[in-house]
Amino acid sequence: MDADINFYFDPVCPFAWMTSKWVRQVQAQRDYTVDWRFISLRLINAHVDYDAHFPPEYEAGHTAGLRLLRVAARARAEHGREAMAPLYAAFGAHIFDTAPGPDDHRSEGEVRELRGARAFAEPILAEAGLPLELVEALDDESWDIEIQQETDEALSLTGKDVGTPIIHFEPPAGVAFFGPVISRLPPEESAVELWDHVVGLSRFPGFAELKRSLRELPQLAAFGVEANTVGKQEDWHGGSRRQQK
């Protein structure tokens, strides 16, 4: 049976996480089903020169995301698709909804790299109610085949000039888009209204894109942006702050 939406996520993408929180708001108010699927930023950028195109900490972060997706792929294979919602929720809570401590003096690159480590993944598995032995998948590249296939599936629905998240509305016949990218979580009373507007656009066969690269830093503790404040606006060229040197 098809889900109402297929949501393709990389666990280290802050905008995918923010959008997923909104999708969960809508789920709580509507009888929606979501299939949480994989898309790897590291695999998408496998042939990109990170030093030339991204800030210095991005390669470590994207690699950590791939490592966590390996754990998710094994969890899905052994415990079913229903394991993905709590696992992704635990990923996001630890990566984005937890502010750094006052004595945490690690660099941004170190923080991102450690997200792909056993010591980071094991508490997340425990929180999601999954066996700690799944952490062995961090280094198991055999899962990359499945992750690549799902990444290719997502890009086949939207084209390649996109980022994360990708949402496939009303599959299999419905259309898929990159985004919507949001920096703020809407109030509970507005979540469904915003959702209905997005679905309305997706149902028009001729609609292709509504986009700007200027974005606020998302309202996430990991970025130091509290729920009632507005993050600094940045230009996310290409959806990922790519830069040419």
Side-chain angles (χ1 to χ4, degrees), residues 131-211:
L132 297 188
E133 67 188 35
L134 296 176
V135 78
E136 302 297 335
L138 285 170
D139 298 307
D140 188 349
E141 296 181 3
S142 67
W143 294 106
D144 293 2
I145 298 172
E146 181 176 342
I147 297 166
Q148 182 71 69
Q149 288 173 340
E150 214 142 284
T151 297
D152 291 343
E153 174 184 288
L155 296 181
S156 74
L157 295 167
T158 60
K160 295 181 179 180
D161 187 21
V162 295
T164 54
I166 287 175
I167 298 181
H168 190 182
F169 297 89
E170 301 171 343
V175 70
F177 290 102
F178 161 44
V181 175
I182 59 174
S183 293
R184 311 179 199 178
L185 196 63
E188 292 285 347
E189 62 272 17
S190 304
V192 168
E193 179 184 11
L194 178 60
W195 177 258
D196 287 341
H197 290 318
V198 172
V199 172
L201 283 174
S202 74
R203 286 176 174 165
F204 173 57
F207 178 71
E209 183 177 43
L210 183 66
K211 181 180 180 179

Side-chain angles (χ1 to χ4, degrees), residues 48-86:
V48 171
D49 181 348
Y50 270 81
D51 290 337
H53 292 282
F54 290 105
E57 67 275 7
Y58 263 51
E59 185 169 13
H62 288 178
T63 300
L66 174 58
R67 289 168 63 80
L68 293 176
L69 283 175
R70 292 170 184 164
V71 174
R74 180 176 171 184
R76 187 172 67 182
E78 297 182 7
H79 299 277
R81 306 189 87 85
E82 60 272 16
M84 291 302 94

